[in-house]
Amino acid sequence: QQEVMRLLSESESSDSGFLSIPAANLRDLLIHMPQAHCFAEGQVVAGRFRVEKFLNRGGMGEVYRATDLELRESVALKTIKPGLAASPGGIERFKREVKESRRITHASVCRVYDLFTHEQPPQDPIWFLTMELLEGRTLAEYLAAEGSVPGGQAISLIDDITAALSAAHDLGIVHRDLKPSNVMLIHGAARMRAVVTDFGLALNISSFEPGNLLLAADGTPAYRSPEQTAGGAVGLETDQYALGLVVCEMLTGS
């Protein structure tokens, strides 16, 4: 502590201000650090899907645009990081995403089709989800680039997100990870619309008595409800809390 205080004192009495400028921009280094992709453009995976383009990388894995060679239509592939796939219950979690997402039929919910595995020796098998291809950007990307969403536009997007959650809640399904990066903004003929994605942490509470379900604190920390953070009972209110935070961020930009 004495050494730290000495350094701070010297910094305040110095004209150089050497502590005011970072020695390196770690964020830029991480963003531009070259990383190998799971799939290459033109590669046919699982004997059925031709990879067209790498789209994005997230916490769960990578997302690609691909062509389903059997159905002759475009789809999105979302890979599952090997560490997640190999973790206890990892694949079961994504099987649950497929099952639960299939039950929700709403225009504001991204459709998930199926779960596949691709053998790529000498590497471990690569698991991936096939889902509806959404052309647009996430709400998180919009907020980072544009700031807050104009009032009238925000209202219509909030209507979409609320309708998506309502469709899930009517089936007793809680999203548990609602956040701006899990909302896609799609430019339609009349207006921009919002589509909720990633029901990977979805939970069906319809078969449980309210208040009797104890869970680990899943979800993204900044958008978790207090009961979710505490690992307590999770209900429909968990999504309502996250929705309030998303709405606040849309209207204020922070």
Side-chain angles (χ1 to χ4, degrees):
Q1 182 184 9
Q2 290 176 347
E3 180 65 9
V4 171
M5 296 306 296
R6 184 185 68 79
L7 288 170
L8 289 172
S9 177
E10 288 188 5
S11 173
E12 291 172 356
S13 62
S14 170
D15 294 332
S16 62
F18 74 99
L19 288 179
S20 64
I21 303 174
N25 190 325
L26 183 59
R27 181 176 179 273
D28 281 353
L29 288 174
L30 291 173
I31 290 175
H32 297 106
M33 184 181 296
Q35 296 180 339
H37 296 320
C38 292
F39 302 137
E41 291 186 9
Q43 180 180 359
V44 176
V45 299
R48 174 171 174 174
F49 304 98
R50 185 178 66 237
V51 176
E52 306 295 347
K53 184 181 180 182
F54 170 80
L55 296 178
N56 207 348
R57 176 183 280 110
M60 295 298 178
E62 299 176 337
V63 181
Y64 297 83
R65 177 191 290 116
T67 299
D68 185 333
L69 299 176
E70 289 190 14
L71 299 180
R72 299 291 176 183
E73 64 181 19
S74 296
V75 296
L77 306 185
K78 183 173 78 172
T79 65
I80 303 171
K81 285 184 176 179
L84 293 174
S87 64
I91 292 303
E92 290 303 315
R93 168 181 167 177
F94 288 95
K95 288 180 180 178
R96 184 173 73 236
E97 176 172 355
V98 172
K99 290 179 182 178
E100 298 297 354
S101 295
R102 278 178 170 176
R103 295 178 57 216
I104 310 169
T105 55
H106 194 279
S108 293
V109 175
C110 179
R111 290 173 292 168
V112 176
Y113 301 133
D114 216 334
L115 179 67
F116 292 86
T117 182
H118 175 70
E119 299 291 338
Q120 195 162 285
Q123 304 173 23
D124 292 332
I126 299 175
W127 289 84
F128 63 91
L129 294 163
T130 56
M131 58 183 60
E132 177 185 4
L133 179 64
L134 299 172
E135 300 283 359
R137 57 179 171 172
T138 67
L139 176 58
E141 291 170 333
Y142 176 98
L143 293 172
E146 312 291 342
S148 61
V149 183
Q153 189 177 52
I155 293 298
S156 62
L157 295 177
I158 293 167
D159 282 345
D160 293 338
I161 300 170
T162 305
L165 292 178
S166 295
H169 291 181
D170 287 344
L171 298 172
I173 297 172
V174 184
H175 188 291
R176 288 206 293 163
D177 197 24
L178 181 68
K179 56 186 177 181
S181 59
N182 281 343
V183 176
M184 287 291 296
L185 302 182
I186 312 301
H187 288 280
R191 65 172 180 87
M192 186 164 64
R193 63 187 184 91
V195 178
V196 177
T197 68
D198 274 12
F199 274 79
L201 290 179
L203 172 73
N204 188 347
I205 63 170
S206 59
S207 59
F208 295 88
E209 290 295 325
N212 289 340
L213 187 62
L214 293 179
L215 296 164
D218 286 326
T220 302
Y223 300 91
R224 283 197 306 230
S225 63
E227 68 274 14
Q228 194 176 9
T229 298
V234 172
L236 305 182
E237 298 84 1
T238 297
D239 285 347
Q240 294 168 6
Y241 181 92
L243 175 62
L245 293 176
V246 172
V247 169
C248 178
E249 193 167 350
M250 290 174 67
L251 296 177
T252 65
S254 64

